[in-house]
Amino acid sequence: MDLKKYKAKAKFNQKHCLGLEGYTTDEILQVLALAFELKEKQKKGIPHKLLEGKTLAMIFEKSSTRTRVSFETGIFQLGGQGLFLSSSDLQMGRGEPIKDTSKVISSMCDGIMIRTFAQSIVEELAEYSSVPVINGLTDLLHPCQALADVMTFYEVHGTFEGKLMCYVGDGNNVAHSLMMACAKIGLDLALACPEDHMPDPEMMKKISQEATKNGVAISIYDDPKKAVIGADAIYTDVWTSMGQEADAAKKQAALSAYQVDEALIARANDDCIFLHCLPAHRGEEVTSGVIDGVQSAVYIQAENRMHVQKALMALLMK
Ligand code: CP
Ligand code: NVA
């Protein structure tokens, strides 16, 4: 597969990015192709002001380092500006309806990025918005992360064909979007999660349907040692996601056998990379040896958030 050929494709019919479910394989590959192009331009200092004068409103109901910095810097590099809006400062935080918030913000801005709790909030925001809405993480999904994840995989391995992505740990928002992205682009998947922390069954159904359609194999294990055999990337995420703090002790106990350590990564392919959306908890879901080791691609992955979101904004907000 040569991503370059997707640069020329003019068809991109998405209005929002609430998740990757409604995206076609071609649309995702087009985002990735543009992301690589913009990454190269940014590195070489070639101007690419595709969104000159445009404003992106960025609503945060949860903490963030990468999402905030990557969107704010990304829109600036495209010639526009980002508006950081913390929900604790917005009237939304005092009960102003999503509908009114959406209608008002979209009357003044050219795009809205939101990080929040329920997926339904992002969907309601999009329903009333006259401009593109981008999901910057919900309890259910993290689509921008997944785009950066598969971009990083491609950057390192040069293809998705015949390769295997292995996700180990909590079947959470990051896992849902990662699996959907893999199912769409043709990257086989192995999943190792404890029985009580499997991905959401509804999501799993949609991902499996997509995988079947695209000839993608999904193998499910409860033993991570079996799941990582033949893996080209091992991915994990925190055991306690934002908003789940009350369950932290329970989750630690359930997931302790799912730590990605040196012995686990040694069972995968020699050129297997380690991926993590960050922030990481060294000593919990991953050892310092792995995340700081030579196979770790986590900082390229974090940087790719910016490049892939620039591509996404350019395609949605053009
Ligand atoms: N991976 C990610 O979304 O990081 P932040 O929470 O720092 O935005
Ligand atoms: N699963 C994590 C991802 C953080 C980027 C969370 O939701 O907190």
Side-chain angles (χ1 to χ4, degrees), residues 62 115 137 142 172-174 237-238 240-242 277-279:
K62 292 177 178 173
R115 164 167 288 196
L137 181 145
H142 199 356
N172 62 14
N173 47 3
V174 166
D237 184 18
V238 290
T240 304
S241 287
M242 290 181 276
C277 60
L278 304 179

Side-chain angles (χ1 to χ4, degrees), residues 10 21 74 133 154 158 172 189 197 202 224 231 242 294 306-307 312:
E21 199 183 319
V133 171
Y154 190 90
N172 62 14
L189 259 168
H197 299 280
E202 265 305 300
M242 290 181 276
V294 290
M306 183 179 78
H307 304 298
L312 188 63

